[in-house]
């Protein structure tokens, strides 16, 4: 996701990523990345524009981290569509619980290196998911979570990866220097929106405007890539544009995006 309308940063990658994935990592120019690697990224169904090499892998689509090992795995990527504004998922999902009464609990912890306000924002994100009575439930813990929010620097707001082996991706890199700090409900909701977006990646969601990121980011049409299998449309969703999805690629500074009806349909379809 990209952050729009930030005076300090200009147009920022907000897939909640701004550009890198870890502190003090080397960021390599696109021209220095081998065509073979870009081809593998494309074949996985990810965009190859502004790909960055970071520690142990690559950052794609602004906030999605792919390891070297992931690039060399056999892939069967799939996505699901909400009308003409798409909700996409990868083929890798989290193994859910048996029912909403007995959901799988996924713990989330926040590094002490992040401002205290980020715990409030994370709780906002968790509350949004848990209000949907899904087959997964999130729980904020003091340390050692299944998903750990870690402090990071670089040209991004936050970044995450996708599930493996039925488990959520284990970390969200958060650039608190770029996001800022605050002690208001407005700020908590903003951070909560960023964290909920990255948690969405951790459980298998792609960007809603995957096929044309200019929808939320502006500028020229930017198709993030081609998947190798067809789309599955979620029944009962409208064929109109969806300007408020929590998984849009870009976000305005200070914006809050709770789940809209299409988001809720997608979440309940998967979990």
């Amino acid at each position: 996701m990209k952050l729009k309308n930030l005076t300090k940063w200009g147009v920022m990658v907000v897939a909640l990523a701004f550009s890198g994935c870890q502190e003090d990592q080397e960021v390599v120019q696109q021209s220095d990345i081998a065509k073979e690697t870009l081809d593998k990224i494309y074949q996985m169904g990810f965009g190859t524009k502004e790909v960055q090499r970071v520690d142990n892998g690559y950052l794609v689509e602004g906030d999605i981290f792919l390891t070297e090992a992931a690039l060399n795995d056999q892939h069967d990527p799939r996505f699901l569509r909400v009308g003409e504004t798409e909700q996409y998922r990868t083929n890798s999902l989290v193994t859910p619980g048996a029912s909403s009464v007995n959901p799988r609990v996924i713990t989330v912890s926040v590094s002490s290196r992040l401002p205290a306000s980020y715990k409030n924002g994370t709780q906002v994100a968790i509350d949004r998911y848990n209000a949907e009575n899904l087959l997964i439930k999130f729980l904020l813990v003091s340390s050692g979570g299944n998903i750990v929010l870690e402090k990071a620097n670089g040209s991004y707001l936050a970044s995450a990866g996708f599930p493996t082996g039925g488990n959520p991706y284990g970390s969200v890199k958060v650039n608190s220097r770029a996001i800022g700090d605050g002690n208001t409900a407005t700020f908590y909701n903003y951070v909560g929106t960023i964290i909920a977006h990255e948690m969405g990646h951790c459980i298998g969601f792609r960007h809603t405007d995957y096929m044309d990121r200019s929808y939320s980011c502006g500028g020229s049409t930017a198709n993030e890539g081609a998947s190798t299998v067809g789309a599955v449309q979620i029944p009962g969703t409208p064929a109109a544009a969806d300007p408020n999805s929590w998984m849009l690629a870009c976000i305005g500074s200070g914006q809050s995006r709770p789940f809209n009806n299409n988001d809720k349909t997608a979440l309940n379809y998967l979990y």
Side-chain angles (χ1 to χ4, degrees), residues 160-176:
F162 292 120
T164 56
N167 297 313
Y169 189 76
S171 69
V172 173
K173 307 292 186 181
V174 182
N175 187 352
S176 57

Side-chain angles (χ1 to χ4, degrees), residues 30 43 71 80 89-90 103 112 139 144 150 159 174 211 253:
Q30 175 97 24
Q43 290 302 317
L71 290 181
L80 57 94
R89 69 169 172 88
T90 66
S112 59
L139 176 67
E150 303 173 347
S159 66
V174 182
M211 295 303 292
S253 178

Side-chain angles (χ1 to χ4, degrees), residues 209-270:
D209 48 351
Y210 162 86
M211 295 303 292
D212 183 6
R213 294 178 68 196
S214 67
Y215 179 73
S216 68
C217 302
S220 60
T221 299
N223 188 324
E224 290 184 340
S227 185
T228 58
V229 296
V232 179
Q233 182 176 4
I234 300 177
T237 57
D242 187 356
N244 298 309
S245 172
W246 103 105
M247 291 305 295
L248 287 174
C250 290
I251 189 171
S253 178
Q255 186 176 5
S256 176
R257 283 186 188 147
F259 302 136
N260 65 20
N261 288 336
N262 291 340
D263 296 334
K264 293 177 180 182
T265 298
L267 281 164
N268 280 276
Y269 181 87
L270 293 187

